[in-house]
Amino acid sequence: VAALTLTQTAPEGYPTLRPHVMDIALVRDEGGTLTVREVPARIEGATATIDEAQGAPLPDLVFPNHHDHDFAKVALDARSLDFVRGNLDRIEDPLLRQLIWQTLWNMVRDQQLKSTEYLELAGAKVTRLGRRVYDDSLVLEGIRGTARHFRIYGEPMSHDKQPGTDLSAIDDSLLSVTPLHFDLTDLEGMDRMA
């Protein structure tokens, strides 16, 4: 980064620019892993140069107001918006992901992003089946004649957080469409029961 400039504007009806202090997230894809570097920022006028970002590797996403410590409406630059289009589900920090969703919605309301583009981002995700993790116990409760009665109990199901899976999409409050075909019919067991 040679220079990073933060810009603020005010509506025509209320043209007052206020001072803001915030952290800026510099998100970068490094070999398939997203890294987040924070730099502190302060802006008092229309623009401010963020010296702490100088010399940093070029980020794929710049997000002002990381951690939501400031009362400010954020809009993404074109490069950051392009990155978000294909990588929002890879951002593991739930607060940062939620702030980006809010920013995208605000950009729609401010006519900086088409509603159809927002719907593409917020719509259904075609996913693969995620790996469920069960920690259940099977306990013999009793025997009545030749029948054994068992009880299954344990912790609620958990899962591995893997981008692109149905469970990851659901964690991100998205609709997941997972193409599946299971035939769990025990044909041999059915023959024995007949």
Side-chain angles (χ1 to χ4, degrees), residues 53-171:
Q54 205 167 27
L58 182 65
D60 297 300
L61 164 64
V62 176
F63 189 81
N65 202 20
H66 187 221
H67 301 301
D68 200 25
H69 291 259
D70 192 16
F71 188 72
K73 188 191 291 187
V74 173
L76 298 178
D77 62 275
R79 178 181 170 85
S80 296
L81 186 57
D82 284 343
F83 181 78
V84 164
R85 283 188 177 104
N87 296 282
L88 185 55
D89 61 332
R90 294 179 55 213
I91 296 173
E92 292 186 8
D93 179 343
L95 178 59
L96 178 56
R97 198 171 47 247
Q98 181 60 40
L99 290 170
I100 292 170
W101 277 117
Q102 182 63 48
T103 294
L104 294 170
W105 178 243
N106 285 337
M107 290 175 70
V108 170
R109 292 180 61 201
D110 293 340
Q111 299 178 349
Q112 296 170 313
L113 180 68
K114 293 179 183 177
S115 59
T116 52
E117 292 179 73
Y118 180 84
L119 289 174
E120 286 175 17
L121 283 163
K125 293 280 185 176
V126 177
T127 59
R128 66 182 189 283
L129 188 63
R131 181 176 171 266
R132 277 87 171 143
V133 178
Y134 297 94
D135 186 22
D136 294 334
S137 298
L138 181 66
V139 175
L140 178 63
E141 290 283 312
I143 301 174
R144 293 186 194 134
T146 59
R148 295 184 294 186
H149 297 270
F150 292 91
R151 185 170 140 221
I152 299 175
Y153 67 95
E155 297 297 318
M157 179 199 76
S158 62
H159 63 277
D160 292 336
K161 178 83 171 163
Q162 294 290 322
T165 64
D166 56 343
L167 298 168
S168 177
I170 292 167
D171 279 350

Side-chain angles (χ1 to χ4, degrees), residues 2 6 12 14 21 49 56 71 91 101 166 175-176 182:
L6 193 61
E12 288 180 19
Y14 305 95
V21 177
T49 301
F71 188 72
I91 296 173
W101 277 117
D166 56 343
L175 174 66
S176 171
F182 288 123

